[in-house]
Amino acid sequence: MSWEKRYRQSATKKLIEQYPQCCFCAGMRPATTREHMPPKSLFDGSHRPDRLVMPSCDECNRGTSTADLTAAIVCRWNYDTDDVEVGDHNRLVRRLRKQAPDVVEEWTNNGNPLRPSKGRRHLRRHGVPVPVDAAIVTIGPATIRQLNIFAHKATLALYFERFRRPLAAPSVYSAIWRTKEDMHQGVPSSLLDLMPEYGALLQGEWDTSETFEYRLNINMDDGLFAFIARLRWGLFVSGFVVGAERDRGGEDDWMQSGDLLLLANTPRFLSKL
Ligand SMILES: [Zn+2]
């Protein structure tokens, strides 16, 4: 057995012994694997520090891998890309095309030549400068669903990272994602002011904050948690958690904690939240 495989097995065993419940299905199934959030594929060459790992059951791990891949690709849709980014992007698209062809086909949408120019006009009207040679892709329901799964998964993962327990009843939560076009004027300072703490994926001198970083606010006593994360320069994810005993106002935006994979199959996940 290779050293790396041996290391992975013992790290998994250790994590599961300490945290036996999966953090993505509210502990409904026992954890059997170590899941990475953000996923390895987000980083150059899928190389990342071995921190920010969570206990996951096999179902949740496999059932959210398309969401991980989709997010890793979308967040590479930058204006300035380097060779490594382009190479990784193409490799990930090939993987996704095998795993979930409907998502990839949606981007190149139906060969309708009017769509790109329409998309470009729409963005310019909203103050987003689009380079002439930029490719315009369509984000439709299949992609939206995967990004919704990803945003909720990230919320459950970062909640676990801070609270060291799965997000479970009576807590409720909500999660959203935004593209760089949505955020072209920057992250609203009103939002950042609410989240004074800073988090990143670090290991010794190894700092990956250029690829991933987040701002957060946390109140352990009341089970309150809020964060906004930047993934490369193409995708932003934000999540909010409240203990259910608090008055939440309009309840419609909030979801009961439970099995993420069940939630992923609800019609609500087909539109951008
Ligand atoms: Zn699970």
Side-chain angles (χ1 to χ4, degrees):
M1 194 189 294
S2 72
W3 177 86
E4 205 190 328
K5 194 167 178 201
R6 202 180 293 265
Y7 168 79
R8 266 207 316 269
Q9 281 188 358
S10 91
T12 302
K13 189 163 167 259
K14 231 187 285 175
L15 182 73
I16 291 170
E17 269 169 14
Q18 203 177 356
Y19 305 106
Q21 296 175 303
C22 171
C23 72
F24 300 110
C25 52
M28 284 159 63
R29 289 181 291 266
T32 52
T33 64
R34 245 162 39 107
E35 179 67 306
H36 298 74
M37 177 54 78
K40 291 180 191 165
S41 49
L42 178 74
F43 299 84
D44 286 349
S46 294
H47 189 50
R48 100 205 247 295
D50 201 31
R51 302 276 190 273
L52 281 172
V53 287
M54 297 84 198
S56 173
C57 69
D58 201 38
E59 286 92 332
C60 287
N61 196 324
R62 274 186 292 116
T64 57
S65 79
T66 296
D68 286 351
L69 257 182
T70 305
I73 291 166
V74 171
C75 75
R76 281 177 169 87
W77 292 346
N78 296 334
Y79 295 130
D80 305 304
T81 46
D82 57 34
D83 291 348
V84 176
E85 244 177 350
V86 172
D88 283 341
H89 176 270
N90 296 346
R91 179 174 54 82
L92 295 168
V93 169
R94 279 197 299 274
R95 247 173 76 193
L96 186 59
R97 198 185 288 282
K98 267 190 212 148
Q99 196 167 314
D102 56 318
V103 178
V104 179
E105 273 154 29
E106 199 173 71
W107 300 338
T108 46
N109 210 294
N110 316 330
N112 180 346
L114 284 178
R115 277 176 180 271
S117 57
K118 208 175 144 205
R120 201 162 284 154
R121 269 206 308 280
H122 172 81
L123 289 172
R124 291 222 174 98
R125 229 182 0 256
H126 288 83
V128 181
V130 185
V132 187
D133 59 345
I136 301 285
V137 299
T138 316
I139 291 192
T143 310
I144 287 170
R145 176 166 172 269
Q146 293 303 331
L147 292 176
N148 279 332
I149 296 171
F150 182 81
H152 287 75
K153 183 183 180 184
T155 303
L156 297 172
L158 291 178
Y159 179 90
F160 176 84
E161 171 72 11
R162 297 283 163 163
F163 286 82
R164 307 315 283 177
R165 61 168 191 256
L167 175 58
S171 291
V172 294
Y173 72 124
S174 75
I176 56 168
W177 54 271
R178 295 290 180 257
T179 63
K180 66 178 183 306
E181 285 76 19
D182 298 323
M183 290 289 193
H184 72 277
Q185 289 177 321
V187 178
S189 59
S190 54
L191 201 57
L192 291 178
D193 290 346
L194 289 175
M195 305 180 194
E197 265 190 73
Y198 177 82
L201 176 54
L202 313 168
Q203 188 169 10
E205 302 268 284
W206 191 1
D207 179 350
T208 64
S209 58
E210 184 62 26
T211 306
F212 170 79
E213 59 184 357
Y214 64 110
R215 291 273 293 254
L216 71 146
N217 200 344
I218 188 166
N219 179 327
M220 298 291 279
D221 295 336
D222 294 336
L224 295 177
F225 180 59
F227 78 93
I228 178 159
R230 176 181 66 76
L231 296 97
R232 293 186 170 266
W233 294 99
L235 189 62
F236 298 82
V237 168
S238 193
F240 304 87
V241 179
V242 283
E245 66 276 7
R246 291 179 73 98
D247 178 21
R248 306 196 299 271
E251 305 226 345
D252 283 351
D253 292 340
W254 297 93
M255 259 155 315
Q256 299 294 327
S257 47
D259 189 345
L260 176 58
L261 296 180
L262 290 179
L263 196 61
N265 285 323
T266 57
R268 162 191 187 119
F269 265 39
L270 294 176
S271 44
K272 194 173 173 186
L273 304 168

